[in-house]
Amino acid sequence: WGRQDLDSCPGSALRLPTTQGCQDVEGVFLERMGLTWQDAVALLGAHTLGRGNKNFSGHHGTWVPNDKEAQIFDKKYYEELFRRAWFPRDEGTLHQDWTTGNPNSASPKMMLNTDVCLLYDIDSKFPCCSRTNLFDNQGNNRCNTEELSNNECSPYDSSNERFPASQAVRKFLGGAGPNNNNEPFYDAFTIAWFKATTNGLDNLKPIRDKC
């Protein structure tokens, strides 16, 4: 009535994408599992939950504004990715990622390369800042440095094979402007989760209500 339970699963961590970039997302979700870019983007939306800890993963912070919101399964991940000025953090190290706002904050926000690459072509243009048109209350550009404020990340054009990923991010925003429409994300995640958890098996059966 499901997958066999085991005490251990050697090598299982190697089946997940690393944090390096979209080539890892493609390798795991599209090439190995046969999913679509929309499926992959939906599954990465699970980053809306929880946080990274530098003592374990080398990446520190939440994908959403705070720990309270990181306990809610919604589309906030896509809103943060789309609407904030993200710039590289710890550049030149194995744990390079992206942050926004005060880079020295005690509660930083973060995105991984595998997140930012869903919207921007960071393989062809790096370092860069995702939104160079955002300023704080003092008039300072939110890209953190003058160099980055003049170097906006490149969005994918329609001829790029990763363009469907950026389309999915925009779809999961639920519409223009602030809104509470989580349905596009929830619907796509339901489909993607089913595909991912049943991949390679054709003898699974529904759980019975009663024995």
Side-chain angles (χ1 to χ4, degrees):
W1 298 98
R3 296 180 184 271
Q4 181 180 358
D5 290 337
L6 296 173
D7 293 330
S8 63
C9 188
S12 59
L14 300 177
R15 300 175 185 173
L16 298 175
T18 70
T19 61
Q20 297 306 305
C22 270
Q23 69 274 11
D24 297 285
V25 177
E26 288 172 329
V28 173
F29 291 133
L30 276 68
E31 296 170 11
R32 191 184 308 167
M33 299 181 68
L35 304 181
T36 66
W37 266 118
Q38 178 165 296
D39 296 330
V41 175
L43 291 174
L44 285 168
H47 280 168
T48 197
L49 297 173
R51 62 179 297 118
N53 188 304
K54 62 183 177 182
N55 295 320
F56 298 103
S57 66
H59 303 281
H60 200 67
T62 55
W63 285 265
V64 294
N66 52 59
D67 288 335
K68 183 177 180 179
E69 292 200 47
Q71 300 176 57
I72 303 171
F73 188 67
D74 60 12
K75 64 184 177 71
K76 181 64 72 174
Y77 164 79
Y78 305 106
E79 294 177 344
E80 293 295 295
L81 178 59
F82 187 79
R83 293 172 181 154
R84 292 192 184 273
W86 296 96
F87 51 86
R89 177 176 66 173
D90 296 331
E91 189 177 344
T93 72
L94 292 174
H95 303 300
Q96 180 268 314
D97 52 23
W98 301 70
T99 193
T100 188
N102 182 358
N104 300 313
S105 170
S107 301
K109 292 179 281 292
M110 72 164 190
M111 289 283 168
L112 305 174
N113 286 337
T114 43
D115 302 309
V116 176
C117 74
L118 300 178
L119 264 181
Y120 303 103
D121 189 359
I122 58 175
D123 285 347
S124 64
K125 189 175 184 180
F126 179 90
C128 59
C129 178
S130 65
R131 295 284 300 273
T132 59
N133 60 341
L134 300 180
F135 299 86
D136 63 22
N137 293 333
Q138 285 73 47
N140 300 310
N141 192 285
R142 291 189 178 276
C143 290
N144 194 45
T145 69
E146 183 177 355
E147 179 183 1
L148 288 172
S149 68
N150 292 310
N151 199 26
E152 188 165 84
C153 298
S154 300
Y156 295 113
D157 62 43
S158 58
S159 65
N160 194 293
E161 62 183 9
R162 294 175 183 165
F163 183 66
S166 63
Q167 287 184 303
V169 172
R170 290 176 169 83
K171 177 180 180 179
F172 299 158
L173 291 173
N179 64 79
N180 295 316
N181 181 19
N182 286 289
E183 293 309 310
F185 168 49
Y186 290 163
D187 291 345
F189 187 89
T190 299
I191 294 170
W193 184 255
F194 178 82
K195 289 181 181 180
T197 54
T198 60
N199 192 289
L201 296 175
D202 56 10
N203 61 344
L204 299 178
K205 299 179 178 63
I207 296 175
R208 292 178 176 176
D209 292 332
K210 297 179 181 180
C211 296

